[in-house]
């Protein structure tokens, strides 16, 4: 692990490392973020593995300018007004994904929405600008630990598990960004943070709805009120399959079971990072070909396997409403 002081060379190296799929911790005005290229599914999977998150929480995507945010998310009048008032700054907007949004499905945990912001930190903006790709960056702490506001906090949490830390001193704000759902006509506060509700209401000239749960716990699935919008395959899902039954499609892990019908292989070599990177796209692919039910081979419940199994268990759970 190397902690590198901010310099022109450090920023250029960090941007290059990110483009190559690496993980880089860098300062923002809120807390230190652990960044990866949000279009690179393997890099995003490695990020979840490093943080040790037991579930796939959707990540906040960082871009250096508002017009780049609209490339990935559909701007609403509320979103444009809030972006004009608070970007760059500690406000995250949840938007509908653009139809051609090419972010890795894993970065948004398979949702049809994307959380995005423009940070107000010179070093962060320079890294984002030079990386030239959207950067998914949750707080640079291991799951369950407090958010880091100095490079030393980051180093203490990750040790040698993290290659590259950009040291920009203590972060000025020190609390997380406020998260607002801006997909509709009214703004909905999903997480309280550095920008206050009163500030938002002043800009919009309208009351802000507060979502049922605005506390933040990264060991729990994000925004529980919105779980219904989580991507679940249309097909029925059967876990721990030891054999494939008639009419089932197969989602394999390791060498596939004997099967002649539709099949996707999460990872032939049984690699959990690769499996996580493929999970959402492969569930979608099996849905697209019209599979009625999916048999899923056993996946070890260790490391990223925990988050993969959490996602699959929820996909396999009885559906409250017919879809
Ligand atoms: P952080 O660890 O600070 O990056 O927090 C990321 C949080 O952003 C997640 O845990 C969610 O609460 C929230 N979030 C990200 N994407 C979405 C989304 N599409 N819809 C709702 N909330 C989101
Ligand atoms: Mg966090």
């Amino acid at each position: 692990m190397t902690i590198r002081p901010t310099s022109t060379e450090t920023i250029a190296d960090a941007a290059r490392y990110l483009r190559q799929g690496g993980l880089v911790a860098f300062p923002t005005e809120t807390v230190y973020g652990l960044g990866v290229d949000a279009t690179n599914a393997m890099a995003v999977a490695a990020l979840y593995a490093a943080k040790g998150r037991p579930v796939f929480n959707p990540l906040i995507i960082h871009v250096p300018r508002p017009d780049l945010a609209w490339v990935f998310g559909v701007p609403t009048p509320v979103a444009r007004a809030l972006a004009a008032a608070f970007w760059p700054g500690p406000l995250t907007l949840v938007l509908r994904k653009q139809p051609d949004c090419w972010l890795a499905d894993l970065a948004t945990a398979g949702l049809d929405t994307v959380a995005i912001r423009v940070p107000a930190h010179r070093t962060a903006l320079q890294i984002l600008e030079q990386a030239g790709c959207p950067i998914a960056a949750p707080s640079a702490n291991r799951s369950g630990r407090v958010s880091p506001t100095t490079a030393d906090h980051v180093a203490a949490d990750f040790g040698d598990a993290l290659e590259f830390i950009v040291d920009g001193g203590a972060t000025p704000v020190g609390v997380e960004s406020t998260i607002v759902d801006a997909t509709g006509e009214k703004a909905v506060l999903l997480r309280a943070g550095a920008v206050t509700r009163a500030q938002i209401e002043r800009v919009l000239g309208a009351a802000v709805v507060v979502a049922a749960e605005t506390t933040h716990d990264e060991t729990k699935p994000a925004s529980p009120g919105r779980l219904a919008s989580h991507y679940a395959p249309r097909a029925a899902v059967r876990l721990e399959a030891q054999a494939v039954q008639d009419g089932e499609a197969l989602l394999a892990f390791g060498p596939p079971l004997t099967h002649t019908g539709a099949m996707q292989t999460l990872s032939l070599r049984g690699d959990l990072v690769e499996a996580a990177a493929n999970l959402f796209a492969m569930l979608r692919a099996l849905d697209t070909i019209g599979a009625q039910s999916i048999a899923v081979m056993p996946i070890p419940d260790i490391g990223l396997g925990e988050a993969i199994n959490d996602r699959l268990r929820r996909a396999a759970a009885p559906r409250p409403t017919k879809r």
Side-chain angles (χ1 to χ4, degrees), residues 53 57-58 60 94 111 113 115 138 179 190-191 216 222-223 226:
R53 281 190 173 182
N57 273 350
I60 296 173
V94 173
L111 293 172
T113 53
I179 304 181
L190 298 180
R191 176 174 83 184
H216 185 58
S223 311
R226 302 170 48 87

Side-chain angles (χ1 to χ4, degrees), residues 136-154:
S139 49
N141 54 283
R142 291 205 196 254
S143 187
R145 310 286 294 273
V146 294
S147 295
T149 55
T150 67
D152 285 343
H153 293 169
V154 181

Side-chain angles (χ1 to χ4, degrees), residues 115-130:
I116 197 154
R117 87 175 183 105
V118 179
H121 192 287
R122 201 180 139 80
T123 304
L125 288 172
Q126 288 175 329
I127 291 172
L128 295 174
E129 194 66 63
Q130 290 186 31

